[in-house]
Amino acid sequence: MADMVDPDPNSLQIPGDSPSAPSSPATARNDCSITPLTPSPSPRVEVRPRMACPFSVVVAIDFGTTSSGYAFSFTQDSEAIHMMKRWEGGDPGVANQKSPTCLLLTPDLRFHSFGFAARDFYHDLDPEEARHWLYFDKFKMKIHSTSDLTMETELEAVNGRRVRAIEVFAHALRFFREHALKEVKDQSSSVLEGEEIRWVITVPAVWRQPAKQFMREAAYLAGLVSPDCPEQLLIALEPEAASIYCRKLRLHQVLDLSLQPITNGFDLDGSKPFDSSFRQAREQLRRSRHSRTFLVESGTGELWSELQTGDRYIVADCGGGTVDLTVHQIEQPQGTLKELYKASGGPYGAVGVDLAFEAMLCQIFGEDFIQSFKAKRPAAWVDLTIAFEARKRTAAPGRANALNISLPFSFIDFYKTHRGQSVEAALRRSNVNIVKWSSQGMLRLTQEAMNELFQPTITNIVKHIEDLMAKPEVRGVRFLFLVGGFAESSMLQKAVQKALGRVCRIIIPHDVGLTILKGAVLFGLDPTVVRVRRCPLTYGVGVLNRFIEGRHPRDKLLIKDGREWCTDILDRFVSVDQSVALGEVVRRSYTPARLGQRKIIINIYCSTTDDVTYIDDPGVRKCGTITLDLPEPLPIPGAVGGAGGGVPERREIRAAMQFGDTEIKVTAVDIMSNRSVRASIDFLSN
């Protein structure tokens, strides 16, 4: 590429008299040769005025690990949130308006179905035929666990075949787009154009920038919005969306675990079992779900009348794949939110219980057999996981009777064929005494077995919340909101109440599995509601500074034009856990290294700590690039050089970066001509 930046150090432009002239560390490190002109030490605030929403409708997609769904609201009637239609299919005893996050591709890689339809069709396939179909389940976890995520990252289907992850995600988003648009058009009195719809996609707050960009690229590929209109798509952070919705709650819409202290599974007066209030809440939720339209408060709900300005609370999003914690402070009277501590969490979602069940099966029947069964009878394996999921949801603390899980006939037959003995014999021979065999062909999991499956994941969640509450910035929390699908589990509720019930009030919205989805719609209606966020990482670029003997190491010395420079110094844009307000910008000015240069590429580095000096310090890594596409410079009348008027010898490009939104954004302008410069930021090409 002829117009790429020349990495030759001789092309480096170094300002002559600046005492601390930063520059990219292009010296023999293949970085770009650019010169920052202004260090701009601290972000500047440009308060964005609250503007009327330029869209007619907001559609939010909650793309979850185990279940997904969408909801929408018309901006002219923003107090009404419409949930997606109930679809055919579903599991007995599971009240949820969302659909399982599973996707089916045909053997020739064409999209076939999503959700219950995908699962049920795959289940009904002949076992031999099923081996050729590509079934994907809980595939969102791959994005969280992949450290080097790119557009070429692949997902493995149940049958072992691999497909580019971006295509699988795009298929799912395209499916939601088609269903949502049909529903919106059915309810709209006017004809809606594509640009009148704002889309919102939820992601965990602990996801890094590459994963957020990945979801945006998948949305472009799915046709939700055009890359030329990026503002039409918002990335919402899941616990943040839940927090936005929780502001609207009325007292009758929540379950307050703190109102009834419990002892040994009973109320203090011994009158009723611990989980009766949960059953009542679930029954109320079941009745409410006959209505698909939810009304929200125009202001803040009754719950907030107890909160004073400066009061803080935690939202714990306990989902299928991750637990995601955010700490907010409500700002009265305007009701905006301020993040007090950077998002934290980890892979401690409900999937951990599923993995513990699989590990238990491996312990009983042998890991080699389980892996062979998954490969040879993939549809039957999916059946078994569905059966466990249904029983997992009914697990409750203090339950006396065992939970029965049906084993597919093909599992029993496959085991006898491969091992020459019955499943019952395998159970007797194993050391797993907490799992019994039923003559009806079922595994009987005792309460002890269920505790063993749940405990590691629940312990991780409780410990993470306790660790967060012990931090100085978080002390004095008054409320803990439990949201997300896993928050429906009374096993988790009991553990959190026991550990934290005397420290703060524990609140669970009745429609806990839909809290994030509703909050994402509210975020799309007003993206300015979260006024201050915390940086999850330290970000910066490598620069040159004057070399100071005794302070800088000799191996960083660069001599250019008789002057001594120190290379590889990290010029921070923002620091980890720094407060950044919405609308704050960090400015840097750069000049091309040579005349006629048409592109500037700037490498971005990040670190989980702020205790770093150089871009090659331990823990610092290159995480992305900023690309500035330079327009042809305008001729300057009377300037030297060039037949039709000259060009300036020194050209300044000023880049402005925003770190206060859910995604990092960059814009740039050519100072001499005041023309916008095409600027892009990429975290997926490393």
Side-chain angles (χ1 to χ4, degrees), residues 234-462:
L234 295 177
I235 299 296
L237 309 182
E238 287 163 0
E240 197 173 276
S243 178
I244 292 168
Y245 176 68
C246 286
R247 290 160 58 251
K248 303 286 188 178
L249 289 172
R250 300 181 69 88
L251 291 174
H252 71 271
Q253 295 174 310
V254 303
L255 182 64
D256 189 341
L257 295 189
S258 314
L259 294 181
Q260 290 287 336
I262 53 111
T263 307
N264 297 327
F266 285 82
D267 293 345
L268 285 179
D269 62 4
S271 60
K272 61 178 184 177
F274 166 78
D275 65 344
S276 64
S277 57
F278 301 148
R279 287 202 301 270
Q280 291 167 10
R282 285 203 180 102
E283 176 59 22
Q284 185 174 344
L285 175 58
R286 186 189 66 75
R287 289 196 299 267
S288 74
R289 278 178 175 161
H290 289 292
S291 168
R292 291 176 43 255
T293 299
F294 293 82
L295 297 178
V296 295
E297 295 284 301
S298 56
T300 53
E302 294 167 314
L303 204 57
W304 299 108
S305 63
E306 300 181 39
L307 282 172
Q308 307 297 318
T309 296
D311 277 351
R312 50 196 65 185
Y313 62 93
I314 292 176
V315 175
D317 171 21
C318 306
T322 56
V323 62
D324 219 6
L325 306 179
T326 194
V327 188
H328 277 164
Q329 194 172 52
I330 191 162
E331 299 177 311
Q332 302 284 21
Q334 65 272 36
T336 52
L337 301 175
K338 177 181 180 181
E339 189 176 28
L340 294 182
Y341 191 78
K342 64 185 174 74
S344 60
Y348 316 130
V351 170
V353 183
D354 304 339
L355 294 174
F357 176 63
E358 183 177 335
M360 183 180 281
L361 292 178
C362 290
Q363 190 179 346
I364 297 169
F365 302 107
E367 186 174 356
D368 57 335
F369 168 76
I370 294 297
Q371 296 307 322
S372 176
F373 179 71
K374 287 168 70 174
K376 301 284 178 56
R377 297 288 185 270
W381 173 254
V382 170
D383 272 358
L384 179 53
T385 61
I386 292 168
F388 175 71
E389 175 69 25
R391 304 311 292 156
K392 180 180 79 174
R393 289 172 181 264
T394 65
R399 182 187 175 112
N401 54 326
L403 285 173
N404 293 331
I405 296 170
S406 298
L407 280 182
F409 172 76
S410 59
F411 185 99
I412 299 169
D413 182 61
F414 199 77
Y415 189 80
K416 192 162 190 175
T417 303
H418 282 72
R419 287 284 199 264
Q421 61 174 333
S422 68
V423 165
E424 186 179 2
L427 266 170
R428 280 200 306 267
R429 287 164 56 97
S430 77
N431 296 321
V432 184
N433 300 320
I434 52 180
V435 181
K436 310 295 183 186
W437 177 248
S438 155
S439 57
Q440 286 83 27
M442 295 182 179
L443 292 179
R444 292 177 59 80
L445 271 64
T446 63
Q447 179 63 36
E448 189 183 350
M450 293 307 291
N451 284 338
E452 195 169 295
L453 296 181
F454 274 84
Q455 215 50 51
T457 298
I458 287 177
T459 300
N460 274 325
I461 293 173
V462 171

Side-chain angles (χ1 to χ4, degrees), residues 73 99 172 198 208 228 335 374 419 437 539 545 562 607 625 676:
S73 180
S99 177
R198 163 169 271 165
R208 301 297 193 211
D228 297 327
K374 287 168 70 174
R419 287 284 199 264
W437 177 248
Y539 288 100
N545 271 357
S607 169
T625 55
S676 290

Side-chain angles (χ1 to χ4, degrees), residues 604-620:
I604 308 172
Y605 298 86
C606 68
S607 169
T608 55
T609 71
D610 194 37
D611 186 25
V612 290
T613 306
Y614 304 100
I615 62 171
D616 53 2
D617 279 351
V620 181

